[in-house]
Amino acid sequence: MNDVPLVLGIETSCDETGVGLVRGHDLLADAIASSVDEHARFGGVVPEVASRAHLEAMVPTIERSCREAGVTLSDVDAIAVTSGPGLAGALLVGVAAAKALALSLSIPLYGVNHLSAHVAVDQLEHGALPEPCVALLVSGGHSSLLLVEDVTVGVEPLGATVDDAAGEAFDKVARLLGLPFPGGPHIDRVAREGAVTIDFPRGLTGGRDLERHRFDFSFSGLKTAVARWVEARERAGEPVPVADVAASFQEAVCDVLTRKAIDACVRSGADHLVIGGGVAANSRIRTLAEERAAQHGIVVRVPRPGLCTDNGAMVAALGAEVVRRGRPPSALDIPADSSMPITTVVA
Amino acid sequence: MLLAFDTATHAVTVALHSGTAAGDVVAEHTVVDALRHGELLAPGIQHVLAAAGISPRDLTRIAVGVGPGPFTGLRVGIVTARTMAAVLDIPVDGVCTLDILAAAVTDQPGGFRVATDARRKEVYWAAYDGRGRRVSPPAVDRPEAAAYDGPVAGRGPQLYPAAFPAAIDPDNPSAAALARAVAHRTVELLPPVPLYLRRPDAATPGQRKQVL
Ligand SMILES: [Zn+2]
């Protein structure tokens, strides 16, 4: 027996079926099944396709995580599951599986917030989370700036995107440039061969916009500007410098994200910035955030790419922290809450 | 002990059966609430286990309705059954939800049909002979196309009385009927795989992004 509880975490809020096993800050297993290939031809996640894939992947992924960790389900002390926010039908598969586990094993269930889990996962990589800290979460589904006073109780939203998520902008621009879905990794790769030669707009960064939306983001104008620029080139019969467009677009996104994140740290007096979500795997955002943070004595913490994208380990990591801090478990009748507010960490 | 449940209609129905042909249902719990399958199923299971005074480890077998039925609720039942079976290392069988309804139909020597709500102005349906054996594969159709003057069980007749004028009981499946049919081996056992009957709808609203 071990004094530190073993927590199994389940994530099904979008297109990844993730099951992780965590003991304290130790990651024992992180099993993932993705339906991303099935969505690629639609250029985005199709909810019913994702839900069907979660159902098929659920039990095999649970079993794989146990094999990876060298444990059996009877060793598990608590179950954590993303109960929101996310796609309703997708969440429901994970929540139902989590309840079945908790019920069959007679152990507590914790329905937790997906965004808090993106923050808590950093503990697996860099140890105890410095609180308060500012978290920048950027992916195809979310673009948020959060002030984290206590990752297990309440997280204060500072700002969020007013239109597209950052990852969505990457996907749309990638499609425009003829790069595959999901766009993030492809833009990052192509941009390395190009230079920042085009000055694309930075949304909500000046004048009244900045006053009213100091910590909010907008990527829809940027996406349109890139489309116009590319179309103008094509109409003129000139070749599109794909690498330069990718580099310039990526620079515009990363500039705004890191500028506002550092501003949020300075304003709230937080000396740590945690970056999570799929876009955190982008090489430019990491470099730029570190450069700018250093000027203000702020430390940037970014988990490795595999932990930034949606996974079960992040849910288990948050579950482990929630258990460690003695928060009360969830009831067996909790709903899958597609619009779960960030201020609720445990349902 | 045999645990049986179905979540492929408006009903969330759970029953516990001694598991043998000589035994019977020892506890039963049914709630009709079309939109809360995910909330109701686990507490329903807990309720029947408590009512019978047994622990999950006493279960020896699981039976689950595999639809056809609205996908969201259907998946709640199937993922619950598969996960419990994996944890407890016991077998799990699926039963067509229309067959569960048919199992509770009595005294229809001339045969009957079962028609349930498939939403989008369609019904899931199948035909049964006088001994309650299914004689057509489960199908999804517009009520006009499946119209039948003879006796029809399920919610179809309530929703589309013009197409199904002769309603008979039951209108919702009962896990007690499912458990008895499985214990008495009077129903076809299927793998615990959903009978979707429809392809995923990828064109329409789709593309919904996460809220935050
Ligand atoms: Zn996420």
Side-chain angles (χ1 to χ4, degrees), chain A residues 68-107:
Chain A
E68 263 178 38
V71 302
T72 64
L73 284 171
S74 55
D75 297 326
V76 175
D77 298 298
I79 304 293
V81 61
T82 298
S83 61
L87 300 170
L91 286 168
L92 198 51
V93 176
V95 171
K99 289 177 181 179
L101 283 166
L103 175 68
S104 306
L105 295 165
S106 306
I107 56 176

Side-chain angles (χ1 to χ4, degrees), chain A residues 13 42 46 48 51-52 55-56 85-87 92 96-97 99 101 103-105 115 141-142 163 168 332-333 335 338, chain B residues 38-39 43 45-46 56 71-72 75-76 79 82-84 86-87 194 196 198 200 202 206-212:
Chain A
S13 70
F42 302 110
V46 181
E48 177 60 19
S51 299
R52 289 186 183 196
L55 173 62
E56 295 318 315
L87 300 170
L92 198 51
K99 289 177 181 179
L101 283 166
L103 175 68
S104 306
L105 295 165
L115 299 187
H142 24 84
D163 40 56
E168 259 183 302
L332 272 186
D333 67 349
S338 60
Chain B
E39 287 96 309
I45 294 170
Q46 214 172 29
F71 304 156
T72 309
R75 277 190 285 264
V76 168
V79 80
R82 288 184 187 177
T83 306
M84 289 189 73
V87 176
Y196 286 122
R198 283 182 182 137
Q207 326 287 340
R208 202 160 27 128
K209 61 175 180 178
Q210 279 184 297
V211 178
L212 264 172

Side-chain angles (χ1 to χ4, degrees), chain A residues 11 13 114-115 118 139 142 277 308-310 314, chain B residues 210:
Chain A
E11 154 63 32
S13 70
H114 178 85
L115 299 187
H118 268 305
S139 74
H142 24 84
C308 284
T309 47
D310 292 350
M314 68 189 219
Chain B
Q210 279 184 297

Side-chain angles (χ1 to χ4, degrees), chain A residues 142-216:
Chain A
H142 24 84
S143 302
S144 310
L145 261 176
L146 311 169
L147 179 60
V148 183
E149 297 275 4
D150 180 331
V151 75
T152 67
V153 172
V155 172
E156 184 193 328
L158 298 174
T161 182
V162 299
D163 40 56
D164 293 350
E168 259 183 302
F170 272 93
D171 290 340
K172 288 173 180 171
V173 168
R175 183 147 53 163
L176 195 74
L177 296 176
L179 301 170
F181 173 87
H186 296 284
I187 297 230
D188 195 356
R189 174 177 52 81
V190 170
R192 271 174 231 169
E193 290 146 30
V196 180
T197 54
I198 312 152
D199 188 24
F200 286 126
R202 271 74 165 154
L204 307 181
T205 54
R208 288 278 305 280
D209 277 351
L210 181 58
E211 271 170 46
R212 285 181 27 218
H213 295 282
R214 183 168 171 184
F215 300 121
D216 290 328

